[in-house]
Amino acid sequence: MLKTIALDSTRLQRLQQTPLWDFAIALYAKPGVEEACLSLQEEAGLDVCEVLFHCWLYASGLEATPSALAHQREQRRLWQCQVTEVLRGLRRDLKATATSNDSVKALRETIKQAELMAERENLQRWQTWACEAQNHEQRVANIADMPQDVAKWLLNQLLFSQSADPGSGGSNEQNGCFHSLQTLTYQLDPQQGAR
């Protein structure tokens, strides 16, 4: 983690003026981002909502404080496991049948919309957590020095305090994860490609 400095109210106001859902939709629509997010989800086991949350913070020059992040991460993980992943599993299970059965196709589409609503709710909970901290609790802080390599910064944010060992995956998996993070961060900061 990079050293942080006292929270700048201008950065926090900028964050509060950009809803996480709107930010996520805009970022997700950029070239390569959808594929990168799906790769991070499927191959690296990362929570795309958390990835987008850290990107949203970065765009305002902020980062989550490690001590506060651990509990929230667990709450969001539970939501993903108990709600979003259940819906995703149902949607995937119906895929084959939906190709030849119109009523199953309609049901699958309804489940797909519910899955999207679950993701939106999860993002809303991340946003509320970051923006509505009590005065005595600092959940976000300024990034003291903007990182030269945003993909590495993002990887550190995502792997900090996680139970998974970041070195346990094979080098191909790590390279794919890092490539996906580079795709994401290039869309956040196009100057990354020029450095």
Side-chain angles (χ1 to χ4, degrees):
M1 287 282 148
L2 297 172
K3 181 181 144 193
T4 57
I5 55 177
L7 183 61
D8 178 347
S9 63
T10 304
R11 292 182 190 191
L12 186 58
Q13 286 175 347
R14 186 177 338 138
L15 186 75
Q16 292 169 335
Q17 292 172 352
T18 307
L20 177 51
W21 175 255
D22 294 346
F23 173 87
I25 293 295
L27 180 60
Y28 207 78
K30 291 185 178 183
V33 172
E34 179 179 359
E35 295 82 6
C37 286
L38 293 175
S39 175
L40 291 169
Q41 175 180 286
E42 298 300 321
E43 296 168 20
L46 294 175
D47 176 4
V48 172
C49 288
E50 185 178 355
V51 171
L52 295 169
F53 168 72
H54 288 291
C55 290
W56 177 64
L57 292 177
Y58 172 81
S60 292
L62 299 168
E63 65 184 355
T65 57
S67 58
L69 182 61
H71 178 71
Q72 178 64 5
R73 178 179 278 150
E74 179 59 19
Q75 294 301 307
R76 302 288 41 87
R77 187 192 68 74
L78 288 172
W79 176 267
Q80 290 295 80
C81 290
Q82 296 171 352
V83 179
T84 309
E85 290 175 12
V86 171
L87 293 167
R88 185 176 298 131
L90 289 170
R91 177 180 53 82
R92 288 177 176 169
D93 289 347
L94 294 174
K95 185 175 184 175
T97 309
T99 60
S100 60
N101 185 317
D102 287 342
S103 61
V104 173
K105 182 178 181 179
L107 174 60
R108 186 173 183 269
E109 194 57 38
T110 300
I111 292 170
K112 184 177 178 180
Q113 290 305 311
E115 181 185 352
L116 184 62
M117 290 173 64
E119 295 283 6
R120 185 175 188 161
E121 177 62 25
N122 201 20
L123 288 171
Q124 180 60 45
R125 290 177 183 201
W126 273 113
Q127 177 179 323
T128 299
W129 175 82
C131 293
E132 295 182 7
Q134 302 298 320
N135 291 338
H136 65 281
E137 180 184 25
Q138 188 172 348
R139 295 177 179 172
V140 296
N142 292 349
I143 300 173
D145 298 309
M146 291 305 277
Q148 290 296 311
D149 189 334
V150 181
K152 285 183 182 175
W153 174 87
L154 184 55
L155 184 62
N156 286 336
Q157 298 297 304
L158 293 164
L159 296 181
F160 180 80
S161 295
Q162 292 206 6
S163 58
D165 176 13
S168 64
S171 61
N172 286 341
E173 180 181 311
Q174 289 174 347
N175 288 339
C177 177
F178 195 69
H179 176 72
S180 294
L181 290 172
Q182 285 178 318
T183 299
L184 262 173
T185 58
Y186 178 74
Q187 293 301 339
L188 284 172
D189 182 2
Q191 298 303 313
Q192 284 289 306
R195 290 186 182 153

